[in-house]
């Protein structure tokens, strides 16, 4: 009687849902999306810029911040294994690393997908309530969900490789907050292919790539990150 | 049955384990002894499939650990430096482990009772004392009712009652025909439990045999160790 894949998925789901940090991250994502959605929808807050005050909804770095909170769930799922040596406990329970990685990846992606909907929906409703017809509205929401899931997968892979929670989150946030703004004028053709800029394009907050190209670039980052992580995970000593 | 055959593990140019061979048989407690840095934990990590061997084989129940269908039902392991995430509740930690190997949920309650943690099961692990964490690790090892127990320094952090409890547990486990491999650097403590002894030093086996054979002509297991290794510092390389 071998271990079934669905048992591994169930075990990984239990790991994610029994960590308080998961629910804290989701609460932060929900609060962030809701507050920013309200501010953008009502246009009560504007951000000062060189060309004068601009709507908060056009500030990609700020509007995407809650997505990083949700990405932290994926980073925790992968990097958290290295806290207190839990990875060794996990590998002793599930020594087939390919199956373990596949289960962890599937569970994390599914959780991020399902969690991103209630986390982002209130804010999206507040921001885009007037954006009818329904097709346009759902398209924007789908892009928002895709951004969160793909950023999560980028962080997931990075966390496996770095064996850490803090390093990938710090790099992702620093790239978004400092890297993109500082390099945008000097290296625009490079910066627009960074995960944060691709996410901004996908979410319609940046004209750098356009939504479709943004989706392709961000998905590419996610695929590369996960593929490298898978290879490292299978080969590295525990 | 545990069989370690010509096992070597090198990290870069350093030989952590060098051609180690021994057997731990059913119905007996095998003490796996040596000072810190002797290669005990590395051997156990290879045995449990956590690290890949440079050469040689390590088998549990005749198979590589990675080939076991439901490892927790065959082997229960407690490793140093391998524990639950501190923010998780103890019961939740055992629950996901049980689920991963299709172990019935009732076993979680049973091992919590067995290890005296039932009252503290809903507490987060970070609130546990060192002894309680050690008991939780033993509870996890017993979860699948395994035929083989591999325990690395199981009495670390335990009070005298706890040490006696572990001793009785291991003796009972072996008495029921199952295999126990007990890794420790406490020679006197292990001498009180083990039937067979494997002593490693600087990555190599220096002596193996029954406790009586190994200690023959020496006042204690500790004296036998020093006589075999000529090392009274006991420290790692």
């Amino acid at each position: 009687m071998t271990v079934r894949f669905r048992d591994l998925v169930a075990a990984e789901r239990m790991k994610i849902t029994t960590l308080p940090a998961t629910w804290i991250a989701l609460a932060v994502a929900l609060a962030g999306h809701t507050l920013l959605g309200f501010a953008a929808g009502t246009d009560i807050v504007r951000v000062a810029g060189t060309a004068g005050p601009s709507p908060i909804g056009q500030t990609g770095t700020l509007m995407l911040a809650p997505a990083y909170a949700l990405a932290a769930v994926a980073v925790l799922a992968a990097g958290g294994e290295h806290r207190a040596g839990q990875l060794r406990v996990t590998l002793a329970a599930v020594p087939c690393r390919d199956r373990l990685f596949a289960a962890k990846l599937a569970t994390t992606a599914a959780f991020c997908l399902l969690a991103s909907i209630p986390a982002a929906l209130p804010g999206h409703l507040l921001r885009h309530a007037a954006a009818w017809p329904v097709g346009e509205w759902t398209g924007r929401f789908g892009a928002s969900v895709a951004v969160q899931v793909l950023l999560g997968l980028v962080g997931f892979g990075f966390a496996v490789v770095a064996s850490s929670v803090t390093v990938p989150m710090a790099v992702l946030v620093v790239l978004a907050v400092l890297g993109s703004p500082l390099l945008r004028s000097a290296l625009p053709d490079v910066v627009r292919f960074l995960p944060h800029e691709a996410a901004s394009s996908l979410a319609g907050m940046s004209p750098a790539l356009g939504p479709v190209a943004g989706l392709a670039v961000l998905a590419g980052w996610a695929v590369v990150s996960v593929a490298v992580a898978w290879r490292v995970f299978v080969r590295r000593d525990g | 049955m545990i069989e370690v055959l010509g096992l070597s593990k090198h990290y870069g140019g350093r030989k952590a384990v060098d051609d180690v061979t021994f057997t731990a048989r059913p119905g007996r407690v095998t003490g796996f002894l040596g000072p810190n840095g002797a290669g005990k934990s590395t051997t156990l990590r290879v045995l449990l499939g956590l690290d890949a061997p440079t050469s040689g084989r390590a088998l549990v129940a005749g198979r590589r650990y990675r080939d076991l269908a439901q490892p927790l039902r065959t082997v229960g392991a407690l490793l140093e430096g391998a524990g639950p995430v501190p923010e998780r509740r103890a019961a939740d930690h055992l629950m996901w482990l049980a689920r991963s190997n299709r172990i019935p949920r009732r076993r979680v309650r049973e091992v919590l009772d067995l290890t005296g943690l039932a009252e503290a099961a809903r507490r987060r692990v970070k609130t546990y004392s060192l002894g309680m964490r050690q008991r939780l690790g033993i509870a996890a090892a017993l979860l699948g009712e395994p035929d083989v127990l591999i325990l690395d320094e199981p009495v670390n952090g335990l009070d005298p009652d706890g040490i006696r409890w572990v001793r009785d547990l291991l003796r009972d486990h072996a008495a029921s025909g199952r295999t126990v491999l007990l890794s420790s650097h406490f020679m006197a403590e292990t001498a009180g439990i083990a039937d067979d002894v494997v002593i490693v030093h600087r990555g190599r086996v220096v002596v193996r045999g029954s406790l009586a054979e190994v200690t023959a002509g020496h006042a204690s297991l500790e004296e036998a160790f020093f006589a075999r290794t000529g090392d009274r510092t006991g420290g790692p390389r």
Side-chain angles (χ1 to χ4, degrees):
Chain A
M1 193 163 58
T2 187
V3 175
R4 297 174 302 189
F5 189 73
R6 72 179 191 208
D7 291 318
L8 301 186
V9 168
E12 291 299 324
R13 178 183 53 76
M14 291 171 83
K15 279 193 211 172
I16 292 173
T17 56
T18 55
L19 268 186
T22 297
W23 301 106
I24 293 170
L26 287 181
V28 169
L30 172 64
H33 275 304
T34 306
L35 288 173
L36 290 169
F38 176 74
T42 55
D43 201 19
I44 58 170
V45 178
R46 292 202 155 215
V47 178
T50 51
S54 58
I56 196 171
Q58 291 175 10
T59 314
T61 302
L62 192 56
M63 294 303 290
L64 281 179
Y68 284 90
L70 204 128
V73 173
V75 171
L76 280 163
E81 287 279 2
H82 294 274
R83 300 199 55 219
Q86 183 179 274
L87 182 61
R88 288 175 176 168
V89 179
T90 300
L91 288 170
V94 189
C96 179
R97 296 185 183 211
D98 283 315
R99 293 190 83 206
L100 174 61
F101 190 92
K104 192 177 278 295
L105 174 63
T107 310
T108 304
F111 190 87
C112 284
L113 175 63
L114 294 175
S116 68
I117 294 170
L121 189 58
H124 197 78
L125 284 171
L126 289 170
R127 184 181 175 193
H128 297 296
W132 296 97
V134 173
E136 184 184 348
W137 188 91
T138 52
R140 287 180 180 177
F141 188 63
S144 173
V145 169
V147 162
Q148 295 182 87
V149 173
L150 292 172
L151 274 179
L153 291 180
V154 172
F156 175 89
F158 198 172
V160 170
V161 174
S163 306
S164 161
V165 171
T166 50
V167 171
M169 283 311 299
V171 171
L172 285 176
V173 171
V174 166
L175 267 180
V177 175
L178 293 177
S180 291
L182 291 177
L183 297 174
R184 193 174 289 135
S185 56
L187 299 166
D189 289 337
V190 174
V191 167
R192 64 190 180 136
F193 290 106
L194 292 177
H196 177 75
E197 291 299 313
S200 293
S201 296
L202 171 55
M205 297 172 197
S206 165
L209 290 170
V212 175
L215 173 64
V217 170
L218 190 56
W221 274 103
V223 167
V224 169
S225 176
V226 167
V228 171
W230 197 319
R231 185 175 172 83
V232 168
F233 186 76
V234 168
R235 289 171 170 244
R236 186 160 54 193
D237 279 343
Chain B
M1 170 88 90
I2 295 170
E3 298 164 278
V4 176
L5 308 163
L7 188 72
S8 295
K9 176 65 181 177
H10 302 171
Y11 295 102
R14 188 174 70 85
K15 294 179 179 178
V17 173
D18 187 15
D19 196 24
V20 165
T21 295
F22 68 88
T23 301
R25 291 177 288 164
R28 300 179 75 80
V29 176
T30 302
F32 189 44
L33 299 165
N36 291 328
K40 304 187 301 296
S41 294
T42 302
T43 302
L44 298 190
R45 285 203 302 274
V46 174
L47 184 58
L48 294 170
L50 300 175
D51 288 7
T54 303
S55 62
R57 288 189 301 163
L59 306 175
V60 183
R63 306 170 74 176
R64 289 189 318 160
Y65 189 87
R66 291 185 185 196
D67 295 332
L68 296 173
Q70 289 175 298
L72 297 187
R73 288 176 177 270
T74 307
V75 182
L78 171 70
L79 280 184
E80 274 203 315
V85 170
E87 288 76 22
R88 189 167 282 129
R89 298 179 201 277
D92 291 334
H93 174 66
L94 295 174
M95 205 66 86
W96 77 254
L97 273 173
R99 185 61 198 261
S100 72
N101 275 239
R102 299 180 70 184
I103 295 165
R105 293 167 65 98
R106 64 165 174 79
R107 272 301 290 168
V108 171
R109 173 55 60 183
E110 287 174 6
V111 296
L112 284 167
D113 286 337
L114 185 65
T115 52
L117 291 174
E119 296 288 318
R122 297 304 301 164
R123 280 171 52 187
R124 301 198 187 279
V125 175
K126 66 182 177 185
T127 69
Y128 275 25
S129 66
L130 180 58
M132 291 171 81
R133 290 182 194 213
Q134 202 73 345
R135 285 174 181 267
L136 179 59
I138 293 170
L142 297 172
L143 199 56
E145 300 179 85
D147 281 338
V148 177
L149 274 183
I150 298 173
L151 305 180
D152 191 8
E153 309 283 6
V155 300
N156 269 4
L158 292 180
D159 56 22
D161 276 351
I163 293 172
R164 174 179 291 185
W165 171 75
V166 168
R167 189 188 301 149
D168 292 344
L169 175 78
L170 300 187
R171 294 298 324 156
D172 290 347
H173 206 79
S176 64
R178 291 180 277 190
T179 306
V180 178
L181 180 63
L182 170 62
S183 172
S184 179
H185 65 277
F186 295 119
M187 304 230 173
E189 179 58 39
T190 308
I193 308 176
D195 303 300
D196 299 320
V197 173
V198 179
I199 296 179
V200 288
H201 185 55
R202 296 182 176 170
R204 299 184 68 91
V205 173
V206 292
V207 63
R208 61 175 175 263
S210 70
L211 183 65
E213 289 168 353
V214 171
T215 55
H218 302 283
S220 65
L221 182 57
E222 196 173 71
E223 289 302 321
F225 168 77
F226 289 132
R228 298 278 186 170
T229 62
D231 183 356
R232 285 196 169 266
T233 64
R237 283 166 291 171

